[in-house]
Amino acid sequence: MNTTPTTSLTVTGPLRDRYDEILSPEALAFVGELHDRFAGPRHDRLADRMKRRYELGNGRDLAFMPETASIREDAGWRVAGAGPGLEDRRIEITGPCDPKMTINALNSGANVWLADLEDATSPTWANIVEGQLSLFDAIRDQLEFTSPEGKNYRVTDPSRTPTIVMRPRGWHLVEKHIEHADRTGQQLAASASLVDFGLYAFHNAHELVRRGRGPYFYLPKIESHREARLWNEIFTFAEERLGLAHGTIRATVLIETFPAAFEMDEILYELRDHCAGLNAGRWDYVFSIIKNYRGRGQWFVLPDRDRILMTLPFMRAYTELLVQTCHRRKAHAIGGMSAFIPNRRSPEVTERALERVAADKRREATDGFDGSWVAHPDLIPVARAEFDRVLGERPNQLDRMRDDVHVTARELLDIRSAGGEVTLAGVRANISITVRYLEAWLRGIGAVALDNLMEDAATAEISRSQLWQWIHQDTVTAEGEQITRQLVERLLREVLADLPTPEGHKLAEAEDVFREVALQEVFPTFLTVPAYTRYLVERGPSAEAEREPSAERESVTA
């Protein structure tokens, strides 16, 4: 007798063509089970984050935890390591999961595609569900796309596509088009992490294994080993529920928060049965430094965004510690993003930028990284040449132990080594980047080419959080002008006056969000949280009030 699976979930978003294939009763039942078991622990981990931010704001410094010293000192344990198709990760391309970008990534020649439902995706209901459809079709070699101009896109050689590693949204985000009933019967917005992971794993895990790869994930915004433990519990449950062998799921953790840099060994340990490696998510890492230490005085004020380089001492300490930690545990160490977008109208600009990309990848390969990220296919040959020069025919350099590295907590915390010079041009640039990115994000575009760089939520977060910090720390520019709300408001008006206003633009809404995330007294922990709640929810007016009791809505003013 056939019965329809029951679920604690309710879909409130509109159902368009083929959405029922992703939002099937069976898939929703599985995602509902994830919520029944793990929604409560998720809230506990978010509460932990809020507590830590409060302590840091009141003078506590991050440190390596004495209570987990035995894990760090035990040289005997190792992680599961690369799954099938992940042995060679020297070049990874990142991007959103719309059909065109999916096909471009699969045709790029990269070793790995980070299929991004997080920072490179504006989480409209359409982008999330149709992104899952793109992945579903791509995995089965049935994805095609025809542009409005009539150009047809398809994967040219399915046998040579990159291994897909999907990045779900972070723990702090919700999916307000799906609700789940808690134990009291109250309807709450679903966890975006559990929705993204659950739908992808349910539909694709067995097909990926059948094709010789596996269900692989990038885990974003993790701040502690307890958050990693929660993911490990989710993976174990999912494998049991879906009939997969233990350890089939593999995860690469982004070390893109400041607290996580002090718990890399512990994060690997908690995920050891499912872990493939760590990634140096450098732009979110910079944002996290500002967020956690924004009220701690001039020692923690960073200079203009374009002066925050990977060669700075505190950034070198972070990346070298990551390589050493990974290789000691036989985990891949994946380097950071090169976000330059080639400018065919300016060969000189492109040539200089490609030289910088090459130098960046040369440093990473020489330091021992096993691979690195690029945002554009044209950067792949440049990046590959640098890694090929170091790796040769080897798939990785896990045998490079970096015993010469001895990083202390003080070195990770040495933000002062960056210098603190801020210019009016840097202030104006941060305003322009934040407003233009928000405008595109509100139109449903999460990866935006601005000034020859691919901007995503992480880089926009640096720009707006620097503005907030500069204002609240009474920072004075190199030109001698104090950065105040009034100064930023004046420059904001000038920036807005210079921007084009094509039909359908969202500049007014972007300006509104900008003021909320950069100019208010309270610092929103993520700019996407208020922007999503106010503008991206396709529901009636009764849903405008936030009903998700997430600790991430609160923040501590220093």
Side-chain angles (χ1 to χ4, degrees), residues 1-123:
M1 176 179 173
N2 292 327
T3 59
T4 302
T6 59
T7 180
S8 60
L9 300 184
T10 303
V11 176
T12 61
L15 298 179
R16 303 184 176 107
D17 184 41
R18 294 189 64 198
Y19 280 28
D20 60 325
E21 295 180 38
I22 296 299
L23 304 170
S24 65
E26 295 80 8
L28 291 174
F30 174 65
V31 178
E33 288 182 77
L34 293 177
H35 279 81
D36 294 342
R37 286 165 172 77
F38 303 111
R42 165 186 172 258
H43 282 293
D44 293 339
R45 300 292 75 78
L46 292 177
D48 291 343
R49 291 184 182 183
M50 188 173 66
K51 179 183 177 183
R52 174 183 269 157
R53 281 197 301 275
Y54 178 82
E55 292 171 345
L56 293 176
N58 281 278
R60 175 192 166 195
D61 275 333
L62 291 165
F64 298 109
M65 297 184 297
E67 61 267 33
T68 56
S70 61
I71 293 174
R72 296 192 299 275
E73 294 165 1
D74 181 355
W77 60 269
R78 301 286 186 270
V79 301
L86 278 181
E87 297 86 355
D88 188 332
R89 305 179 62 171
R90 68 188 68 195
I91 305 299
E92 302 193 357
I93 192 167
T94 72
C97 301
D98 61 272
K100 181 180 176 182
M101 295 301 288
T102 296
I103 292 169
N104 286 345
L106 295 178
N107 286 335
S108 68
N111 301 82
V112 169
W113 172 40
L114 187 158
D116 196 7
L117 288 178
E118 206 225 7
D119 277 355
T121 291
S122 171

Side-chain angles (χ1 to χ4, degrees), residues 150-437:
K151 184 176 180 180
N152 184 260
Y153 295 83
R154 64 178 63 198
V155 176
T156 55
D157 186 353
S159 68
R160 301 185 65 181
T161 56
T163 298
I164 298 173
V165 181
M166 196 274 272
R167 177 161 67 168
R169 286 169 285 175
W171 283 130
H172 61 288
L173 295 171
V174 296
E175 177 49 69
K176 292 180 71 68
H177 302 94
I178 299 177
E179 294 182 343
H180 79 98
D182 68 6
R183 292 179 181 177
T184 69
Q186 183 182 9
Q187 293 293 116
L188 303 173
S191 161
S193 299
L194 295 179
V195 168
D196 296 347
F197 164 79
L199 293 175
Y200 182 78
F202 181 85
H203 288 295
N204 301 304
H206 283 284
E207 184 65 21
L208 286 163
V209 171
R210 189 182 73 80
R211 290 171 177 263
R213 303 222 174 146
Y216 304 143
F217 299 90
Y218 259 111
L219 302 183
K221 307 293 189 291
I222 282 183
E223 295 195 11
S224 73
H225 69 285
R226 297 184 73 188
E227 294 183 22
R229 183 186 303 163
L230 176 57
W231 270 116
N232 194 68
E233 292 168 354
I234 290 167
F235 294 158
T236 298
F237 168 79
E239 287 167 339
E240 294 173 353
R241 172 67 173 75
L242 297 176
L244 300 168
H246 182 69
T248 299
I249 294 172
R250 297 294 167 89
T252 303
V253 178
L254 290 127
I255 303 300
E256 58 181 351
T257 70
F258 205 24
F262 294 82
E263 299 186 34
M264 285 192 270
D265 261 312
E266 293 88 339
I267 288 168
L268 288 173
Y269 183 80
E270 294 293 347
L271 279 161
R272 60 193 180 279
D273 289 348
H274 295 102
C275 195
L278 303 178
N279 167 271
R282 55 201 190 189
W283 305 132
D284 259 313
Y285 185 76
V286 171
F287 161 56
S288 180
I289 291 171
I290 301 168
K291 176 166 64 176
N292 283 287
Y293 280 82
R294 65 188 183 276
R296 293 282 297 276
Q298 288 294 321
W299 280 27
F300 294 96
V301 172
L302 287 165
D304 286 355
R305 199 186 88 165
D306 61 4
R307 301 186 189 193
I308 307 172
L309 305 176
M310 296 307 298
T311 53
L312 293 172
F314 74 97
M315 295 299 283
R316 291 285 291 160
Y318 150 64
T319 55
E320 291 195 318
L321 179 61
L322 188 147
V323 172
Q324 182 194 56
T325 304
C326 282
H327 287 183
R328 189 171 178 233
R329 308 303 181 184
K330 296 302 179 185
H332 281 114
I334 307 301
M337 171 70 79
S338 287
F340 173 69
I341 304 298
N343 187 336
R344 292 176 175 82
R345 291 178 294 181
S346 181
E348 297 83 3
V349 170
T350 296
E351 182 179 359
R352 288 195 300 271
L354 290 179
E355 289 173 357
R356 291 195 294 272
V357 171
D360 183 52
K361 301 311 175 191
R362 189 178 311 125
R363 173 191 53 77
E364 289 183 327
T366 303
D367 283 350
F369 280 97
D370 302 291
S372 191
W373 282 8
V374 298
H376 193 280
D378 287 355
L379 303 184
I380 290 176
V382 177
R384 187 178 296 282
E386 299 302 331
F387 274 88
D388 286 351
R389 187 174 292 116
V390 173
L391 294 178
E393 297 299 318
R394 296 177 297 160
N396 52 63
Q397 48 185 334
L398 290 174
D399 56 346
R400 180 95 185 278
M401 302 307 294
R402 293 306 310 268
D403 292 330
D404 57 310
V405 172
H406 304 282
V407 173
T408 65
R410 181 180 293 273
E411 289 172 308
L412 290 172
L413 288 162
D414 186 20
I415 311 306
R416 191 182 185 185
S417 64
E421 185 174 80
V422 180
T423 67
L424 279 173
V427 177
R428 182 186 293 272
N430 278 0
I431 295 169
S432 177
I433 289 165
T434 305
V435 169
R436 287 186 291 162
Y437 180 79

Side-chain angles (χ1 to χ4, degrees), residues 123-140:
T124 66
W125 179 234
N127 283 347
I128 295 302
V129 181
E130 292 169 25
Q132 292 275 0
L133 277 166
S134 292
L135 291 166
F136 181 93
D137 288 344
I139 289 164
R140 292 159 178 80

